[in-house]
Amino acid sequence: MKTILKKKGFLVTLVIVLALFCLAFGGNGEPADEAEEEEEERAPFAVMPVNPAPMTGETISVYNWGDYIDSEVIDIFEAETGIRVIYETFETNEDMYAKIAKGGSSYDVIVPSDYMIERMIQEELLQPVNWNNVPNVKNIDPRFTHESYDPEFKYSVPYTWGTMGLLYNTETVLEAPDSWDILLDEEYKMDMFMLNAPRDTTAIALVMSGHDLNSINHDDLADAKNLLIRQKPLVLAYVVDEVKDKMIAGEASVALVWSGDATFCMSESDTLNYVVPKEGSNIFYDSMCIPHNARNVSGAEKFIDFMCRADIAAMNYEYVGYAIPNTAAIELWGAEEYNASPVNNPPQETLNKCQVFKYLGENTKLYDTIWTEIISEF
Ligand code: SPD
């Protein structure tokens, strides 16, 4: 009996201690403040339909950049339409182009950048979009339509945009960099990442050499190549999507990145910051397009229209982090907070220093040759 009472007493004490613990730590083992912070997370912008459509047997194949869509968005599309999405990824425009141009594979939706759209239009690798089937194009800010690469706004549906710049660790780069020169600074030897993307990295080397980032002048390109060769001993690795985890983990002090990846990294780490250097940079536009040999054009249009829906584009922005051209989605996500980001909404002064890549025709080979030499010796 005594033992039972002792056990009862122990149980009562345990319950009281647990109750106090729950009060102090918000009931889930985390301090109350953190629990409250978690509650402040955004509610989802779009949700799975309660009664998903039965699968129709129809499929679309989507070929997009790595880590460039919220997979839940695809789940919602499938549940709403009954169309199954076969999803594949690429790392650079050049990889994607090589696959499409070679033939043999067929995609219904691809997401090239500006200069690659220009090239694919010229080479008749894209088909015009039937805007009647993409009513949500009304959500796209007209500032992002009729761009130089698709002046008649016939082939490309704006998806994201951004700049190239420097992502740096404020704990190890004590003075905020304002110049690309940091990419040649011995102090950061084996402490920097460069983009494993031929056009992008060569363009920055051109700018660093004082040349136009669309240059096709052989001497300019020789300067860019020599600069990249000189820089190689300082480079820890040439990477694409891996840069995000690596910079968040503090593996290097500085990286050449696309702005959306900077936004993501800065949301995960307080010690990272982003700058577009004073010498100027690239502004890019990635758009959804339908290849000439798409098998399911109507499915492609449904998918593109779905991606332009305000709730879906807002949800996708929350995950991807790249600036979006979708006015309705920005409103839904929170225009004030969105516009306050100098990374995704750079001041005009910064934009004035940025240029879009042009398709350089046959001269594209010059860039490819330089890049092969740089990468193959690494
Ligand atoms: N995670 C992939 C992000 C793709 C960004 N596109 C950049 C285009 C540069 N021309």
Side-chain angles (χ1 to χ4, degrees), residues 64-69 90-94 111-115 160-164 195 197 199-200 240-241 244 258-261 282-286 320 322 357:
N64 194 359
W65 297 77
D67 216 5
Y68 217 28
I69 199 164
F90 57 83
E91 282 210 321
T92 65
N93 278 298
E94 288 68 25
V111 189
S113 305
D114 35 62
Y115 68 102
T160 53
W161 66 282
T163 56
M164 248 198 293
L195 272 173
R199 183 69 191 265
D200 306 66
V240 186
D241 290 326
K244 291 185 275 185
W258 295 308
S259 51
D261 289 345
N282 164 241
I283 178 169
F284 64 82
Y285 304 96
D286 292 345
V320 175
Y322 277 72
F357 289 152

Side-chain angles (χ1 to χ4, degrees), residues 182-183 185-193 231-238 250-254 378:
I182 192 171
L183 296 176
D185 190 337
E186 292 279 336
E187 195 177 328
Y188 301 104
K189 185 169 181 162
M190 294 297 278
D191 195 17
M192 62 178 75
F193 293 115
Q231 187 209 26
K232 269 176 77 167
L234 311 185
V235 177
L236 185 56
Y238 296 91
E251 288 182 32
S253 290
V254 62
F378 195 68

Side-chain angles (χ1 to χ4, degrees), residues 128-158:
V129 177
N130 181 346
W131 296 115
N132 292 330
N133 298 332
V134 187
N136 285 317
V137 72
K138 68 177 188 300
N139 293 333
I140 303 296
D141 184 337
R143 280 191 303 141
F144 296 93
T145 64
H146 302 85
E147 292 285 348
S148 54
Y149 49 87
D150 183 9
E152 293 176 58
F153 194 41
K154 275 172 76 175
Y155 297 91
S156 58
V157 187

Side-chain angles (χ1 to χ4, degrees), residues 318-335:
E318 177 73 15
Y319 176 88
V320 175
Y322 277 72
I324 46 175
N326 189 312
T327 316
I330 292 172
E331 281 302 323
L332 193 61
W333 190 85

Side-chain angles (χ1 to χ4, degrees), residues 50-248:
V50 182
N51 297 311
M55 292 313 272
T56 55
E58 189 178 338
T59 61
I60 54 161
S61 55
V62 177
Y63 196 29
N64 194 359
W65 297 77
D67 216 5
Y68 217 28
I69 199 164
D70 181 344
S71 62
E72 281 183 40
V73 156
I74 297 177
D75 296 342
I76 296 175
F77 176 80
E78 291 184 333
E80 282 190 13
T81 62
I83 301 173
R84 190 164 70 86
V85 177
I86 300 163
Y87 193 78
E88 278 183 44
T89 60
F90 57 83
E91 282 210 321
T92 65
N93 278 298
E94 288 68 25
D95 292 346
M96 180 276 303
Y97 170 80
K99 199 154 180 195
I100 304 273
K102 200 168 74 182
S105 47
S106 145
Y107 297 101
D108 299 306
V109 179
I110 56 172
V111 189
S113 305
D114 35 62
Y115 68 102
M116 197 50 81
I117 296 170
E118 196 177 350
R119 175 177 196 166
M120 295 180 90
I121 293 173
Q122 278 186 31
E123 296 180 7
E124 298 183 350
L125 292 173
L126 302 180
Q127 57 178 289
V129 177
N130 181 346
W131 296 115
N132 292 330
N133 298 332
V134 187
N136 285 317
V137 72
K138 68 177 188 300
N139 293 333
I140 303 296
D141 184 337
R143 280 191 303 141
F144 296 93
T145 64
H146 302 85
E147 292 285 348
S148 54
Y149 49 87
D150 183 9
E152 293 176 58
F153 194 41
K154 275 172 76 175
Y155 297 91
S156 58
V157 187
Y159 181 62
T160 53
W161 66 282
T163 56
M164 248 198 293
L166 296 168
L167 180 68
Y168 63 97
N169 188 326
T170 53
E171 282 179 342
T172 51
V173 183
L174 297 182
E175 209 171 305
D178 66 348
S179 165
W180 292 115
D181 287 348
I182 192 171
L183 296 176
L184 290 174
D185 190 337
E186 292 279 336
E187 195 177 328
Y188 301 104
K189 185 169 181 162
M190 294 297 278
D191 195 17
M192 62 178 75
F193 293 115
M194 291 294 285
L195 272 173
N196 187 1
R199 183 69 191 265
D200 306 66
T201 297
T202 310
I204 296 308
L206 278 166
V207 174
M208 291 173 75
S209 310
H211 305 307
D212 189 279
L213 56 63
N214 281 306
S215 180
I216 49 167
N217 177 295
H218 288 224
D219 293 338
D220 293 356
L221 285 159
D223 287 346
K225 177 176 138 184
N226 291 335
L227 185 143
L228 290 173
I229 289 172
R230 195 150 50 95
Q231 187 209 26
K232 269 176 77 167
L234 311 185
V235 177
L236 185 56
Y238 296 91
V239 285
V240 186
D241 290 326
E242 315 91 283
V243 77
K244 291 185 275 185
D245 286 346
K246 289 181 181 296
M247 287 301 285
I248 291 166

